[in-house]
Amino acid sequence: DAGITQSPRHKVTETGTPVTLRCHQTENHRYMYWYRQDPGHGLRLIHYSYGVKDTDKGEVSDGYSVSRSKTEDFLLTLESATSSQTSVYFCAIRDRDLGEQYFGPGTRLTVT
Amino acid sequence: AQSVTQLDSHVSVSEGTPVLLRCNYSSSYSPSLFWYVQHPNKGLQLLLKYTSAATLVKGINGFEAEFKKSETSFHLTKPSAHMSDAAEYFCVVSDRGSGGGADGLTFGKGTHLIIQP
């Protein structure tokens, strides 16, 4: 258990509404990540953070923003949700070991 | 640039027989390679990792993988499948030489392992 929690675990929302997903870690890791998982695509990186207030874009960042105001929390925001953002979202932290990442339990988001 | 190709989207084996899940990678640098497993409606669990030490890597639950640089492969094996091995398996490459804070993790699209009784 890498001490990662995600909230909410499930959410249904309507197109056009803002949504914020939270990732919380208890082990003071510097690097945190948000991925989305879709059938046939594996996991794809949305955004990542390498410290408080330090974030950068990943492969599929359009339509998403992130914030990290303290080490333990990494927030993912969909400014105006679309049906294409229906997915399972995973948060991860990077252990200080070589590139190894540990994942949270996931958030299943449905945009209707 | 880095990429990962999992050669089979589905693999079906009988319980007690060997498992082979194939993965080829492309990387501009000396990569780190991982296998993760995802059971239905669960998160991802690290099975094993290769980080430029021994080329034969042992992981949890009896799984092994061999790094073959000449073939750019990192296939996952297990001598005898168990019903509890039924899951989705992801091969992952980390191109640490690419710079940046993300470590450039790239996932394969996954192999669904089915275990027949």
Side-chain angles (χ1 to χ4, degrees):
Chain A
D1 183 6
I4 307 169
T5 57
Q6 294 185 230
S7 58
R9 294 292 314 279
H10 298 87
K11 186 172 181 64
V12 180
T13 191
E14 294 184 349
T15 298
T17 59
V19 177
T20 295
L21 308 183
R22 178 180 183 240
C23 177
H24 179 79
Q25 58 140 332
T26 58
E27 299 185 6
N28 205 36
H29 293 286
R30 179 183 175 191
Y31 290 90
M32 298 184 74
Y33 306 80
W34 277 107
Y35 293 87
R36 61 178 288 174
Q37 183 179 25
D38 304 289
H41 289 277
L43 273 74
R44 292 178 291 173
L45 182 65
I46 305 172
H47 281 279
Y48 64 96
S49 171
Y50 46 96
V52 173
K53 297 185 179 180
D54 291 324
T55 65
D56 208 344
K57 296 178 180 180
E59 177 188 356
V60 290
S61 59
D62 287 349
Y64 301 94
S65 62
V66 290
S67 65
R68 193 168 178 199
S69 59
K70 46 186 178 178
T71 300
E72 58 265 36
D73 289 326
F74 191 31
L75 304 181
L76 177 70
T77 297
L78 290 66
E79 302 290 349
S80 177
T82 68
S83 58
S84 65
Q85 294 175 312
T86 292
S87 187
V88 181
Y89 291 86
F90 286 98
C91 175
I93 57 91
R94 197 193 89 188
D95 189 84
R96 62 185 176 184
D97 202 345
L98 212 65
E100 186 169 329
Q101 293 189 11
Y102 292 97
F103 289 82
T107 294
R108 184 173 296 275
L109 176 68
T110 302
V111 182
T112 61
Chain B
Q2 59 190 20
S3 65
V4 176
T5 302
Q6 292 185 240
L7 298 167
D8 307 291
S9 60
H10 293 79
V11 170
S12 180
V13 302
S14 298
E15 189 175 20
T17 64
V19 174
L20 170 64
L21 305 184
R22 298 182 295 165
C23 173
N24 287 349
Y25 71 92
S26 172
S27 174
S28 303
Y29 300 88
S30 297
S32 294
L33 293 158
F34 310 85
W35 277 97
Y36 284 85
V37 61
Q38 184 179 32
H39 288 92
N41 299 312
K42 300 290 186 183
L44 282 86
Q45 180 183 18
L46 181 67
L47 267 182
L48 50 79
K49 62 178 180 179
Y50 165 78
T51 54
S52 75
T55 56
L56 181 62
V57 180
K58 294 185 183 298
I60 62 172
N61 300 333
F63 284 95
E64 294 183 348
E66 186 171 7
F67 173 71
K68 292 187 176 181
K69 186 174 181 179
S70 61
E71 299 177 9
T72 61
S73 70
F74 191 57
H75 300 335
L76 182 70
T77 61
K78 182 173 181 177
S80 178
H82 191 274
M83 294 299 292
S84 61
D85 295 328
E88 192 85 11
Y89 291 79
F90 294 97
C91 183
V92 180
V93 62
S94 172
D95 189 352
R96 288 188 56 81
S98 65
D103 282 337
L105 271 190
T106 299
F107 281 76
K109 295 185 178 181
T111 298
H112 185 58
L113 178 62
I114 300 163
I115 311 297
Q116 304 283 0

